[in-house]
C-alpha cells in the first residue's frame, strides 16, 4: 500500500483546502514546529482509510477532526495497492450532539467498492489485509505508539504476526481437514448402513423373479384386451336401451304435468277491465294538453316582465347619472387649484436649493486649506508642497461650513416634500378628470337607451295583461298535471296486470316448450286467447300419454338383458385375475391388470437400479474410507500447538535477525536483538561483555533505536514472509523520537532511512529537527498561517 495524494479541507488545523502530493516522493519529511499540524496529515491518511484518528483514546470520536468554527471536514486519499489505484473519501459533518460521517466511499476506476463509512472500513481492511491496530503498528507509527511492537506481550505480538503473515490460513486448513475427515467417516457409515438396509434385497435372484412377474401380467392383459370388444358392445347396447327408456319415461312425465294454472279465468277478466280504464285516461289527457297549449300561446304574445322592469330601472339610473355629473364638476375645479399650488411650491423649493448649494461651495473654496489639512499624516509627504509633514497645522473648527451643510440638507428635505405633494395633487386631478369622463359617457348611454322604451302608461297596461295570462296558464298546467297523474295510475294498474299476464303466458310457454324440447311436437298456440290455448294443449297431452308409456316399458326390458350378460363376462375375467394375484374384485379388470403390470415393471426397474447402485456404493465406500484417513492425518500434522508455534518462532527469528542488522548499524555495533526462550525480545549489550537483558531496560534513546530497527525490519520482511492475502507494505511513516537523538545517532538513523527509501519503499518522517529534515530529498514544510495550517513543498539539494 502506497499513498499518492492527500486532499483535506476543514480537518484539524487545516481549515482551507490543502493538497499533499506524494506521487514522486520516495523519501520525504513533514517538517515544522510543534503544533503546526504535521501529525494531523498522518492522522488524515489513517482516518481516510479506517475512520479513526490514532491519537484519540475513543475510536468512535469523529467530531474533533472538524476544524474549530467549521461545520464540515473533507478528506480524500488516493493510494495504490497491488498495482491498482484507489480513492478513499470521507466527509464528516457536525451535528447538535457531535458529528456524523454523512458521505464515505471507496472507488477504483469507474467502480464503487464501498458507499458508506462502515463499508469503506471493511473493504480497506480486506484490501490491505490489515486492521486499524495492525496498520498503526506496521505502516503508520503515530506519536505514542512507536515502541508498542517492541514492548508488546508475546501473545499480542504473535497475534499480530499471525494476521500479517496469514498463518490463520493453516489453521483454517487444519479445521477444514478435521471437519472433512469427520464428514467422510460419517459418509462411509451411511453407505454401509444403506448397503445393509434398503439395498439388502438388491440381488440377482430377486431381479429374475421380478422379470417373470412382468411377463405373466403381460399375458393376462392380452387376454383381457381380447374380450374387450364383446364387453363394449354389451355396454353400448345397455346404454342405448336405457337412454330410450329414460327418454320415453320423461315424455310421459311431461304429458302428465300439463295442467292449466289456478286462477286463470279471474286473471283474464281483470286484464279486460284495466285496458278499458287506460283508454279513457288517454282521452282526458289529450283534452288537457290542448287547453294548456292555448294558454301558452296567449302568454307568448305578451312581452317578458323582465323587459318592463328593465325600462323602469334605466330611467332611474339616468336621473342618478345626471346628479353625479353635477357634483363631480365642483370637485374637479378644487383638484385643479390644488395641483397648481403644489407645482408652485416645487419651483420655490428648487430655487432655495440652488442658493444653498452656491453658499456651501463658496465656503468650501474659502476653507480649502483647512479641508486639505484634515488628511495630512505626520511623516508622509504633503500633496501640495511635496514636503514631509513635521507637525499638523492647527485650524479652527469649520463651523460656517457645517452650518451651510445643514441649511442645504433642510432645503433638500423641503424640496422632496414639495415634489411628493405635487405628485399627489396631480394624481388626484387626473382621477377627477377620469371620473368626469366616465360620468358623461354613462349619462349619454342611458339617455340613448331610454328613447327606445315604452311609456309609463303602456308599461302599466302590459303588466296587467301579463298577470292575467300567467294565472290562466298556471290553472291549465295544474289541470294537465292532475290528468297525467290519473292516466299514470291507470297505466300502472294495467302494467301490474300486464306483469301477471306475462307470467301467465310464460308458464304456458314453459309447459309447451318443455314438450317440444322432449320431441313431442305439441300443437301451435294462437297467442290471442290464453284460456283457449291452455284448453287445446291439455286435450292433446291426454291423447298422447298412453303411447309414450308403452315405449318406455319395452326399452327398459332390453337394457336389463344387456346388463346381465355384461356382468357375467366381467366376473369371468375377475376370476382369471384372482388366479394370478391381481385384485380385480371391484372396478374394471383391465384397469387392475394394467396397474399391477405397471407396478411390476417399476419393481423390476428399481431392483435393476438398486443392484447397480449397490455395486457403485461398495466401490465408493473403499474410496471414502481412504480419503477420511488422509484428512485426519493432515489435521493432526497442522495442530496449532505444533505447526503454528514452529512457524511463529521461524518468523520472529527472521524478523529479529533483520532488526539486529539495522540496530547494530544504528548503535555503532553496541546492541543486538535476540529471541528469548519464550519468544520475548532480549537486548545483547556488546559494550558490556555481551550482557543479555530485557528490552524494557533500554533508555529512551536506546528504545527509539531498537523500535526503529524492528519497524524497519517488519516493513521490509512482512510481505516476503506472508502466506498470501496481505498487500505489500510499500510505505512506512515514522512520527516520533528524532528530537531525543544526539547528532551522531541522528546521522546514523538518517543514513539507514535513506537506504530503506532507495529500495523502492516510500518512507515518510515527521519531525521538528531541522538537521534531519535538511538531509531528506523531499521536504514538506508545515506551518501555521493565522488560524489555519498550510503545506509547502521544498526540494532539497542533495
Amino acid at each position: 500500500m502506497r499513498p499518492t495524494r492527500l486532499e483535506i479541507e476543514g480537518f484539524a488545523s487545516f481549515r482551507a483546502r490543502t493538497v499533499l502530493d506524494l506521487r514522486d516522493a520516495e523519501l520525504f519529511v513533514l517538517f515544522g514546529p510543534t503544533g503546526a499540524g504535521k501529525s494531523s496529515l498522518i492522522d488524515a491518511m489513517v482516518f481516510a482509510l479506517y475512520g479513526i484518528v490514532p491519537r484519540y483514546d475513543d475510536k468512535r470520536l469523529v467530531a474533533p477532526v472538524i476544524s474549530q468554527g467549521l461545520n464540515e471536514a473533507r478528506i480524500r486519499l488516493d493510494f495504490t495497492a497491488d498495482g491498482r489505484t484507489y480513492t478513499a473519501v470521507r466527509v464528516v459533518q457536525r451535528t447538535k450532539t457531535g458529528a456524523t460521517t454523512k458521505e464515505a466511499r471507496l472507488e477504483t476506476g469507474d467502480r464503487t467498492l464501498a458507499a458508506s463509512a462502515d463499508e469503506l472500513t471493511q473493504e480497506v481492511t480486506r484490501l490491505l489485509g490489515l486492521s486499524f491496530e495492525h496498520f498503526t503498528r506496521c505502516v503508520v507509527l503515530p506519536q505514542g505508539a512507536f515502541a508498542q511492537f517492541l514492548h508488546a506481550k508475546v501473545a499480542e505480538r504473535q497475534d499480530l504476526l499471525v494476521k500479517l503473515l496469514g498463518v490463520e490460513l493453516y489453521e483454517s486448513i487444519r479445521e477444514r481437514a478435521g471437519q472433512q475427515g469427520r464428514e467422510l467417516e460419517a459418509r462411509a457409515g451411511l453407505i454401509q448402513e444403506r448397503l445393509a438396509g434398503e439395498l439388502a434385497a438388491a440381488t440377482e435372484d430377486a431381479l429374475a423373479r421380478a422379470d417373470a412377474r412382468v411377463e405373466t401380467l403381460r399375458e393376462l392383459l392380452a387376454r383381457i384386451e381380447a374380450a374387450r370388444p364383446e364387453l363394449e358392445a354389451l355396454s353400448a347396447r345397455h346404454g342405448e336401451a336405457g337412454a330410450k327408456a329414460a327418454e320415453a319415461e320423461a315424455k310421459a312425465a311431461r304429458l302428465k304435468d300439463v295442467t292449466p294454472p289456478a286462477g286463470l279465468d279471474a286473471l283474464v277478466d281483470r286484464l279486460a277491465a284495466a285496458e278499458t280504464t287506460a283508454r279513457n285516461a288517454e282521452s282526458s289527457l289529450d283534452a288537457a294538453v290542448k287547453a294548456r297549449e292555448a294558454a301558452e300561446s296567449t302568454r307568448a304574445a305578451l312581452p317578458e316582465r323582465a323587459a318592463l322592469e328593465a325600462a323602469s330601472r334605466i330611467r332611474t339610473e339616468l336621473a342618478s347619472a345626471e346628479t353625479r355629473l353635477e357634483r363631480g364638476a365642483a370637485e374637479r375645479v378644487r383638484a385643479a387649484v390644488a395641483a397648481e399650488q403644489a407645482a408652485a411650491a416645487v419651483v420655490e423649493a428648487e430655487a432655495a436649493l440652488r442658493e444653498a448649494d452656491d453658499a456651501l461651495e463658496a465656503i468650501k473654496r474659502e476653507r480649502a486649506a483647512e479641508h486639505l489639512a484634515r488628511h495630512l499624516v505626520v511623516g508622509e509627504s504633503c500633496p501640495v508642497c511635496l514636503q514631509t509633514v513635521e507637525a499638523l497645522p492647527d485650524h479652527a473648527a469649520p463651523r460656517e461650513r457645517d452650518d451651510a451643510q445643514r441649511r442645504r440638507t433642510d432645503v433638500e428635505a423641503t424640496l422632496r416634500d414639495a415634489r411628493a405633494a405635487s405628485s399627489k395633487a396631480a394624481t388626484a386631478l387626473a382621477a377627477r378628470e377620469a371620473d368626469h369622463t366616465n360620468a358623461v359617457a354613462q349619462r349619454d348611454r342611458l339617455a340613448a337607451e331610454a328613447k327606445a322604451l315604452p311609456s309609463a302608461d303602456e308599461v302599466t297596461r302590459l303588466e296587467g295583461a301579463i298577470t292575467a295570462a300567467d294565472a290562466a296558464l298556471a290553472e291549465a298546467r295544474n289541470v294537465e298535471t292532475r290528468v297525467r297523474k290519473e292516466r299514470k295510475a291507470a297505466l300502472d294498474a294495467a302494467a301490474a296486470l300486464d306483469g301477471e299476464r306475462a307470467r301467465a303466458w310464460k308458464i304456458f310457454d314453459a309447459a309447451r316448450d318443455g314438450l317440444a324440447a322432449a320431441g313431442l311436437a305439441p300443437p301451435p298456440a294462437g297467442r290471442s286467447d290464453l284460456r283457449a290455448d291452455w284448453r287445446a294443449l291439455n286435450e292433446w297431452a291426454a291423447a298422447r300419454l298412453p303411447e309414450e308409456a308403452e315405449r318406455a316399458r319395452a326399452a327398459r326390458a332390453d337394457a336389463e338383458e344387456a346388463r346381465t350378460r355384461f356382468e357375467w363376462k366381467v366376473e369371468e375375467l375377475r376370476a382369471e385375475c384372482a388366479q394370478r394375484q391381481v385384485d380385480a374384485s371391484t372396478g374394471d379388470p383391465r384397469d387392475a391388470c394394467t396397474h399391477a403390470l405397471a407396478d411390476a415393471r417399476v419393481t423390476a426397474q428399481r431392483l435393476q437400479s438398486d443392484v447397480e447402485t449397490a455395486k457403485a456404493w461398495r466401490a465408493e465406500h473403499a474410496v471414502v474410507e481412504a480419503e477420511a484417513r488422509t484428512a485426519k492425518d493432515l489435521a493432526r500434522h497442522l495442530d496449532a500447538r505444533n505447526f503454528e508455534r514452529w512457524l511463529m518462532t521461524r518468523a520472529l527469528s527472521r524478523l529479529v535477525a533483520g532488526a539486529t542488522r539495522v540496530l547494530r548499524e544504528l548503535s555503532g555495533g553496541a546492541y543486538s536483538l535476540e529471541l528469548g526462550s519464550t519468544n520475548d525480545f532480549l537486548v545483547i549489550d556488546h559494550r558490556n561483555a555481551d550482557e543479555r537483558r530485557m528490552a524494557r531496560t533500554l533508555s529512551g534513546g536506546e528504545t527509539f533505536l531498537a523500535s526503529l530497527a524492528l519497524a524497519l525490519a517488519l516493513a521490509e520482511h512482512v510481505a516476503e514472509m506472508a502466506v498470501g492475502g496481505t498487500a505489500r507494505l510499500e510505505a512506512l511513516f515514522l512520527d516520533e523520537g528524532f528530537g531525543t537523538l544526539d547528532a551522531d545517532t541522528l546521522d546514523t538513523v538518517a543514513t539507514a532511512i535513506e537506504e530503506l527509501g532507495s529500495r523502492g519503499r516510500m518512507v515518510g518522517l515527521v519531525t521538528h529537527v531541522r538537521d534531519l529534515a535538511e538531509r531528506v530529498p523531499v521536504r514538506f514544510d508545515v506551518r501555521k498561517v493565522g488560524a489555519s495550517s498550510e503545506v509547502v513543498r521544498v526540494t532539497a539539494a542533495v
Side-chain angles (χ1 to χ4, degrees):
M1 176 271 180
R2 178 193 292 259
T4 57
R5 184 177 182 273
L6 174 67
E7 179 181 333
I8 57 178
E9 182 177 358
F11 185 90
S13 61
F14 293 89
R15 301 174 65 84
R17 178 178 174 273
T18 303
V19 176
L20 181 64
D21 194 341
L22 303 174
R23 282 175 290 188
D24 59 349
E26 294 294 328
L27 177 60
F28 67 92
V29 63
L30 301 177
F31 172 72
T34 301
K38 305 184 296 299
S39 297
S40 295
L41 294 172
I42 304 300
D43 291 342
M45 294 184 192
V46 180
F47 186 79
L49 295 172
Y50 294 96
I52 301 172
V53 175
R55 291 183 290 171
Y56 295 166
D57 293 334
D58 188 348
K59 295 181 180 179
R60 297 170 298 176
L61 285 179
V62 294
V65 306
I66 304 176
S67 301
Q68 188 173 4
L70 299 183
N71 292 321
E72 186 176 85
R74 291 179 172 270
I75 308 95
R76 168 179 172 161
L77 177 65
D78 297 337
F79 64 94
T80 61
D82 293 334
R84 298 190 66 177
T85 301
Y86 299 87
T87 297
V89 176
R90 293 183 192 264
V91 179
V92 183
Q93 190 173 55
R94 198 181 301 279
T95 64
K96 293 182 180 179
T97 58
T100 180
T101 304
K102 72 170 186 177
E103 177 184 348
R105 64 183 184 276
L106 178 66
E107 300 173 342
T108 177
D110 57 355
R111 292 175 54 210
T112 298
L113 305 179
S116 68
D118 291 342
E119 289 179 2
L120 173 54
T121 301
Q122 294 170 3
E123 187 62 22
V124 165
T125 301
R126 185 200 63 78
L127 180 66
L128 303 184
L130 297 173
S131 67
F132 166 76
E133 291 77 8
H134 298 152
F135 188 83
T136 53
R137 290 188 181 186
C138 301
V139 180
V140 175
L141 302 181
Q143 292 181 1
F146 193 65
Q148 283 186 3
F149 188 75
L150 176 66
H151 293 155
K153 294 180 180 180
V154 173
E156 294 176 353
R157 195 159 48 235
Q158 180 166 324
D159 179 65
L160 172 61
L161 285 176
V162 167
K163 296 295 185 182
L164 290 176
L165 303 183
V167 176
E168 66 271 12
L169 173 64
Y170 296 111
E171 176 61 19
S172 298
I173 294 175
R174 185 195 66 79
E175 292 178 357
R176 178 58 184 149
Q179 180 183 355
Q180 188 172 6
R182 292 188 294 272
E183 291 175 352
L184 289 171
E185 285 183 340
R187 174 67 175 166
L190 289 175
I191 293 174
Q192 189 61 40
E193 288 179 5
R194 187 170 182 186
L195 287 172
E198 61 184 277
L199 295 178
T203 65
E204 295 293 342
D205 290 342
L207 180 59
R209 289 193 297 272
D211 290 339
R213 174 67 173 172
V214 170
E215 184 61 28
T216 297
L217 293 177
R218 186 184 297 113
E219 293 174 356
L220 175 61
L221 182 61
R223 285 194 293 275
I224 294 175
E225 290 290 349
R228 191 161 191 81
E230 182 181 356
L231 290 173
E232 290 177 349
L234 291 173
S235 178
R237 176 183 167 189
H238 175 267
E240 292 173 359
K244 291 179 180 179
E247 179 184 1
E249 290 169 351
K251 290 180 179 180
R254 286 189 173 277
L255 291 170
K256 289 180 181 179
D257 292 339
V258 175
T259 303
L264 177 63
D265 293 336
L267 174 61
V268 172
D269 294 339
R270 289 200 306 275
L271 287 172
E275 289 174 356
T276 301
T277 303
R279 285 194 298 272
N280 294 335
E282 288 289 349
S283 299
S284 299
L285 178 59
D286 289 341
V289 168
K290 292 178 180 179
R292 187 257 305 161
E293 290 174 349
E296 286 178 344
S297 298
T298 301
R299 179 60 183 88
L302 297 172
E304 293 298 325
R305 192 181 298 272
L308 302 180
E309 293 174 350
S312 300
R313 186 179 66 255
I314 289 172
R315 286 194 176 89
T316 301
E317 289 177 355
L318 176 60
S320 177
E322 290 174 346
T323 301
R324 286 198 304 274
L325 188 61
E326 293 175 359
R327 185 171 59 252
E331 293 178 354
R332 188 168 57 136
V333 171
R334 287 195 295 271
V337 172
E340 291 176 0
Q341 292 174 348
V346 170
V347 173
E348 182 180 350
E350 288 175 343
L353 180 61
R354 288 193 295 274
E355 291 176 2
D357 286 339
D358 294 341
L360 179 60
E361 289 299 319
I363 292 173
K364 286 182 178 179
R365 286 192 297 273
E366 293 174 0
R367 301 286 186 174
E370 179 183 299
H371 176 72
L372 180 61
R374 296 168 63 187
H375 300 284
L376 295 179
V377 178
V378 175
E380 296 183 359
S381 298
C382 174
V384 178
C385 62
L386 303 180
Q387 300 298 320
T388 301
V389 178
E390 300 294 341
L392 296 177
D394 185 13
H395 290 285
R399 185 181 305 275
E400 294 179 359
R401 186 182 62 192
D402 293 343
D403 292 342
Q405 182 64 50
R406 283 194 296 274
R407 285 195 300 275
R408 185 191 179 286
T409 300
D410 294 341
V411 172
E412 190 174 26
T414 301
L415 176 58
R416 285 196 301 271
D417 295 341
R419 285 174 175 168
S422 177
S423 176
K424 183 177 181 181
T427 301
L429 176 59
R432 300 287 80 76
E433 291 289 350
D435 291 344
H436 175 72
T437 300
N438 293 336
V440 171
Q442 184 181 23
R443 181 201 59 189
D444 294 344
R445 176 179 60 77
L446 292 173
E449 292 179 359
K451 290 181 180 180
L453 298 176
S455 64
D457 292 341
E458 181 64 14
V459 168
T460 300
R461 184 189 68 77
L462 290 173
E463 286 179 345
I466 289 172
T467 299
D470 286 343
L473 178 58
E475 176 61 23
R477 286 173 175 170
N478 290 336
V479 171
E480 180 182 359
T481 300
R482 176 177 55 76
V483 173
R484 285 186 181 278
K485 290 180 180 180
E486 293 173 353
R487 172 181 172 274
K488 182 178 181 303
L491 292 177
D492 289 344
L497 291 177
D498 282 343
E500 292 187 35
R501 174 167 46 196
R503 285 191 294 274
W505 276 110
K506 187 175 182 180
I507 293 171
F508 172 81
D509 291 337
R512 186 181 180 282
D513 292 344
L515 296 171
L520 291 170
R527 307 299 299 175
S528 59
D529 189 342
L530 180 61
R531 192 161 26 202
D533 286 346
W534 263 113
R535 186 181 299 111
L537 183 62
N538 191 30
E539 292 174 353
W540 171 85
R544 185 70 182 271
L545 178 58
E547 177 185 350
E548 294 299 330
E550 177 57 24
R551 289 179 56 197
R553 186 198 62 75
R556 186 63 64 192
D558 188 29
E560 185 62 22
E561 181 184 357
R563 183 185 64 78
T564 300
R565 294 181 61 187
F566 178 88
E567 291 177 353
W568 177 83
K569 187 63 177 180
V570 169
E571 287 300 324
E572 184 179 90
L573 293 175
R574 284 175 178 168
E576 290 191 40
C577 289
Q579 290 175 2
R580 292 163 180 79
Q581 292 79 45
V582 176
D583 184 9
S585 57
T586 60
D588 188 349
R590 178 177 178 275
D591 292 341
C593 186
T594 300
H595 293 156
L597 178 58
D599 292 342
R601 284 171 174 168
V602 169
T603 300
Q605 292 172 358
R606 185 177 66 252
L607 277 171
Q608 179 67 41
S609 176
D610 288 349
V611 168
E612 295 174 357
T613 300
K615 292 179 181 178
W617 278 33
R618 290 187 185 95
E620 183 181 354
H621 183 268
V623 173
V624 169
E625 279 191 329
E627 291 179 350
R629 287 193 297 271
T630 301
K632 291 175 67 177
D633 290 343
L634 178 60
R636 185 174 62 257
H637 291 318
L638 292 179
D639 185 88
R641 291 172 297 178
N642 303 317
F643 179 75
E644 185 177 301
R645 183 183 303 161
W646 170 81
L647 185 62
M648 287 300 99
T649 300
R650 290 282 305 266
L652 282 171
S653 297
R654 185 172 179 181
L655 184 62
V656 168
T660 294
R661 288 194 298 272
V662 177
L663 180 59
R664 289 180 67 89
E665 183 178 353
L666 294 177
S667 63
Y671 300 107
S672 296
L673 288 176
E674 186 177 80
L675 194 63
S677 60
T678 59
N679 283 349
D680 54 347
F681 288 141
L682 300 178
V683 178
I684 303 175
D685 190 344
H686 297 295
R687 296 179 182 176
N688 191 17
D690 290 343
E691 177 188 3
R692 286 168 170 78
R693 52 195 174 97
M694 299 295 293
R696 292 186 178 275
T697 63
L698 294 173
S699 65
E702 294 168 342
T703 297
F704 175 81
L705 295 179
S707 300
L708 178 60
L710 277 172
L712 295 177
L714 187 64
E716 184 72 19
H717 298 294
V718 67
E720 301 171 2
M721 295 186 293
V723 172
T726 301
R728 185 171 182 269
L729 305 181
E730 300 178 281
L732 178 66
F733 299 90
L734 307 178
D735 185 12
E736 187 172 343
F738 301 110
T740 64
L741 304 179
D742 55 51
D744 293 338
T745 305
L746 184 63
D747 182 70
T748 303
V749 170
T751 301
I753 292 175
E754 289 171 353
E755 181 181 354
L756 184 62
S758 67
R759 299 176 185 174
R761 184 183 307 281
M762 174 185 285
V763 179
L765 310 179
V766 179
T767 186
H768 61 273
V769 179
R770 183 173 293 279
D771 291 342
L772 177 61
E774 290 179 347
R775 292 191 55 171
V776 179
V778 178
R779 187 176 87 219
F780 294 96
D781 285 354
V782 184
R783 55 200 179 199
K784 283 279 191 177
V785 179
S788 183
S789 297
E790 68 175 11
V791 179
V792 178
R793 176 168 176 157
V794 178
T795 303
V798 181

